[in-house]
């Protein structure tokens, strides 16, 4: 009963802080309203007794929002991130897309044939059981996906960076230490 | 220790646990002040926490133009509260407030919160220096957090569990610090990191007029600063069940050993502050990623191999 009430209150917090992301006029408030929304969802997952998943959700989202605070000042032109600003743009398209997404997801949740009653017993270790259910057969795919994603990120950064290894090490790649605008702590 | 089994104490024990955290943090501040006094060639220092607290409580609160007060206060108050959340999973001998299956992840979540909290404190004042300080901290965070996470993985692998109780029990006979010293050292680096302590204090440095602290005054400053010391203390305390065998030790009861080891780690951290220079975030970034992270991963590999070989 109490857990049920807490769950619904957290749901309200998650939705309201999600709405707040678009209502506030400050980039910092929008960022951390989003973080709050995710934290509320993380606590909901904790209430479902998925300790590991719930905590990891909170951890990842708080970290992600903190990093977003770095990016928003790094990459936003003229630095409106430091000024009061409107958090919305492309309003008609955005509203259309979000209403469509909501109808799709809510319709799916309502129309899906949920099981009438529980089949089978509650597993002893919920996290383990859920992990097997989600990953199970697909562990090989997941294990391959990880390195591929890392390689993609590294390749993306390499392509995006305007300085190449020839700028750092010279035309015959023999200059040591490298010529960097900012020296690192290892002294390469 | 009887099989390392932990006893979950009633929730009102949170109050004494909080008092112990405050007392240890007081000790840390006092020891730091004592060392400063010693360097200046005079005695005393033990009452400095009291006088500083009194001075800050009497100070008039400074206000700044167009401050984001909500986020500013959340940052400071969160720093104050955070360490108490960590204490909930730290066993004192065989008593603990909570021993979730994922106690180590719980600790990790709280220490990641510090990223947001320090940045919010820097942001809230609407002050350039504060914001620069906040970003310095995030830059440090990007460099220390991943090595710290991989250092936390080592004891968890060895115990085959993310529960703090299981980690303590797995050290029956041989403390983890003996065969995972690299993880222990990196863990302590991380503790200094999320406490904005010692080499990680450029976010609060004098060259940016105090950085995150620049506009913090009165009770807000008191709350933020004590939060840092609480985090330092809780970090030192968490290292004991993680690497130093928890309450294990001869003659004395478990809780006494736990406190003694915590005080020792805390004293080393406080003492090291004046032995290590500030680490510039841009330089430490490379140290974190080129030295600490590979070292932590190799440590994890060694631990994994030992666990697999040992069955």
């Amino acid at each position: 009963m109490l857990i049920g009430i807490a769950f619904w209150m957290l749901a309200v917090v998650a939705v309201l802080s999600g709405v707040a992301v678009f209502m506030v006029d400050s980039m910092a408030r929008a960022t951390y309203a989003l973080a709050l929304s995710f934290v509320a969802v993380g606590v909901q997952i904790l209430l479902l007794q998925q300790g590991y998943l719930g905590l990891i959700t909170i951890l990842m989202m708080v970290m992600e929002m903190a990093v977003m605070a770095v990016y928003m000042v790094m990459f936003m032109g003229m630095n409106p991130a430091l000024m009061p600003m409107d958090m919305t743009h492309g309003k008609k398209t955005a509203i259309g897309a979000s209403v469509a997404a909501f109808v799709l997801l809510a319709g799916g949740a309502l129309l899906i044939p949920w099981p009438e009653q529980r089949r089978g017993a509650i597993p002893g270790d919920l996290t383990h059981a859920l992990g097997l259910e989600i990953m199970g057969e697909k562990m090989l795919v997941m294990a391959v996906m990880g390195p591929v994603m890392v390689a993609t990120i590294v390749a993306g950064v390499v392509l995006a960076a305007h300085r190449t290894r020839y700028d750092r090490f010279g035309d015959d790649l023999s200059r040591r230490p490298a010529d960097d605008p900012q020296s690192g702590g290892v002294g390469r | 220790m009887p099989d390392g089994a932990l006893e979950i104490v009633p929730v009102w024990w949170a109050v004494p646990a909080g008092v112990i955290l405050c007392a240890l943090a007081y000790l840390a501040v006092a020891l730091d002040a004592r060392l400063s006094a010693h360097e200046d060639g005079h005695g005393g220092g033990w009452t400095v926490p009291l006088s500083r607290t009194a001075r800050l409580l009497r100070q008039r609160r400074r206000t700044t133009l167009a401050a984001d007060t909500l986020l500013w206060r959340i940052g400071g108050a969160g720093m104050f509260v955070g360490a108490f959340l960590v204490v909930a999973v730290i066993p004192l001998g065989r008593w603990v407030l909570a021993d979730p299956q994922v106690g180590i992840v719980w600790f990790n979540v709280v220490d990641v919160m510090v990223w947001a909290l320090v940045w919010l404190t820097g942001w809230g004042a609407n002050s350039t220096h504060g914001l620069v300080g906040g970003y310095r901290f995030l830059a440090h965070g990007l460099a220390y957090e991943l090595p710290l996470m991989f250092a936390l993985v080592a004891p968890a692998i060895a115990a085959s569990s993310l529960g703090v109780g299981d980690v303590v029990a797995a050290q029956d006979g041989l403390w983890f610090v003996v065969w995972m010293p690299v993880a222990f050292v990196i863990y302590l680096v991380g503790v200094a990191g999320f406490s904005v302590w010692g080499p990680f204090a450029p976010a609060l440095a004098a060259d940016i007029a105090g950085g995150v602290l620049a506009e913090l005054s009165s009770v807000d400053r008191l709350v933020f600063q004590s939060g840092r010391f609480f985090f330092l203390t809780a970090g030192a305390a968490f290292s004991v069940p993680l690497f130093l065998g928890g309450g294990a030790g001869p003659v004395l009861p478990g809780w006494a050993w736990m406190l003694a080891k915590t005080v020792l780690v805390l004293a080393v951290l406080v003492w090291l502050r004046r032995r290590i220079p500030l680490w510039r975030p841009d330089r430490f970034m490379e140290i974190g990623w080129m030295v600490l992270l590979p070292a932590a991963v190799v440590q994890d590999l060694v631990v994994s191999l030992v666990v697999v070989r040992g069955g």
Side-chain angles (χ1 to χ4, degrees):
Chain A
M1 176 66 183
L2 270 179
I3 289 182
I5 295 172
F7 189 90
W8 282 100
M9 279 170 62
L10 285 164
V12 172
V13 171
V15 171
L16 288 185
S17 48
V19 171
V21 171
F22 301 99
M23 308 287 281
V24 294
D25 66 348
S26 133
M27 196 55 126
R29 287 195 174 199
T31 306
Y32 282 98
L34 192 54
L36 176 64
S37 181
F38 283 129
V39 169
V41 173
V43 179
Q44 280 187 313
I45 300 177
L46 286 182
L47 290 181
L48 297 173
Q49 297 183 28
Q50 293 287 353
Y52 183 75
L53 289 183
L55 288 179
I56 284 293
T57 305
I58 299 174
L59 186 155
M60 297 300 288
M61 289 309 159
V62 170
M63 215 166 166
E64 208 165 288
M65 292 306 139
V67 172
M68 201 162 110
V70 178
Y71 278 93
M72 73 191 188
V73 169
M74 266 167 74
F75 292 133
M76 294 206 41
M78 305 173 294
N79 247 336
L82 300 175
M83 303 290 186
M85 64 180 285
D86 185 6
M87 289 298 129
T88 55
H89 53 85
K91 292 184 192 179
K92 279 177 189 161
T93 328
I95 289 173
S98 44
V99 166
F102 178 80
V103 168
L104 184 74
L105 293 175
L110 289 176
L111 296 178
I112 196 169
W114 295 104
E116 292 294 319
Q117 60 192 31
R118 179 185 291 283
R119 287 171 299 197
I122 303 174
D125 186 347
L126 281 172
T127 309
H128 186 240
L130 183 71
L132 280 183
E133 194 63 35
I134 296 174
M135 302 283 230
E137 304 292 308
K138 299 142 218 139
M139 205 56 217
L140 182 63
V141 181
M142 290 296 180
V144 174
M145 280 283 281
V148 170
M149 278 167 71
V150 172
T152 312
I153 294 170
V154 171
V157 172
V158 168
L159 291 175
H162 74 284
R163 281 171 58 84
T164 66
R165 56 186 172 150
Y166 296 105
D167 296 308
R168 299 188 66 224
F169 297 123
D171 289 343
D172 51 359
L173 298 179
S174 62
R175 187 195 297 144
R176 293 292 185 281
D179 175 24
D180 287 326
Q182 210 166 23
S183 63
V186 183
R188 286 176 308 143
Chain B
M1 287 195 37
D3 305 319
L6 291 182
E7 185 187 329
I8 310 291
V9 292
V11 70
W12 63 266
W13 275 97
V15 177
V19 171
I20 293 174
L21 179 69
C22 292
L24 290 174
Y26 182 98
L27 193 67
V29 185
L31 180 63
D32 190 47
R34 177 73 199 94
L35 289 173
S36 290
H38 181 72
E39 276 177 4
D40 296 345
H42 53 82
W46 297 109
T47 55
V48 162
L50 290 178
S51 53
R52 275 190 203 160
T53 305
R55 197 185 67 213
L56 284 176
L57 286 176
R58 286 176 65 243
Q59 198 174 48
R60 181 180 288 185
R61 188 182 246 171
R62 187 185 306 170
T63 52
T64 54
L65 192 65
D68 193 336
T69 312
L70 176 68
L71 295 188
W72 201 10
R73 300 281 181 268
I74 288 177
M79 281 300 279
F80 191 87
V81 174
F84 290 92
L85 297 178
V86 174
V87 168
V89 297
I90 302 180
L92 180 67
R94 61 191 173 83
W95 305 298
V96 69
L97 282 163
D99 187 26
Q101 281 182 329
V102 288
I104 292 179
V105 188
W106 172 262
F107 170 84
N108 205 189
V109 169
V110 178
D111 91 60
V112 163
M113 291 282 182
V114 175
W115 284 41
L117 299 172
V118 173
W119 186 84
L120 286 173
T121 312
W123 163 271
N126 193 26
S127 136
T128 310
H129 290 126
L131 194 60
V132 172
Y135 279 111
R136 282 188 180 182
F137 179 76
L138 283 184
H140 265 149
L142 287 168
Y144 79 71
E145 189 65 49
L146 276 175
L148 170 62
M149 284 177 172
F150 279 96
L152 288 174
V153 165
I157 297 175
S160 303
S161 166
L162 288 164
V164 182
D166 296 334
V167 171
V168 175
Q171 295 177 71
D172 197 23
L174 187 61
W175 295 358
F176 284 167
V177 68
V178 177
W179 58 293
M180 36 185 99
V182 178
F184 180 62
V185 170
I186 293 175
Y187 171 82
L188 290 186
V189 171
V191 171
F194 64 67
S195 312
V196 207
W197 178 254
F200 291 98
L204 320 171
D207 64 330
I208 45 172
V212 172
L213 293 174
E215 303 293 343
L216 273 180
S217 59
S218 177
V219 67
D220 303 324
R221 193 183 182 94
L222 176 66
V223 161
F224 182 85
Q225 289 286 52
S226 21
R228 284 177 59 218
F229 279 98
F230 289 153
F231 264 108
L232 191 71
T233 310
F238 198 67
S239 77
V240 179
L242 221 48
F243 293 101
L244 300 174
V251 187
L252 293 176
W255 60 267
W257 274 113
M258 177 68 202
L259 287 178
K261 291 175 192 174
T262 304
V263 169
L264 186 68
V265 175
L266 191 57
V268 169
L269 283 169
V270 168
W271 175 75
L272 276 178
R273 181 177 83 91
R274 49 200 72 238
R275 290 285 168 270
I276 302 177
L278 288 185
W279 286 335
R280 271 171 44 184
D282 53 338
R283 297 197 154 226
F284 181 72
M285 186 71 82
E286 201 173 69
I287 296 175
W289 283 84
M290 304 293 292
V291 180
L292 297 185
L293 187 56
V297 172
V298 169
Q299 173 78 86
D300 289 345
L301 179 67
V302 170
V303 171
S304 307
L305 290 176
V306 170
V307 170
V308 170
R309 290 290 294 260

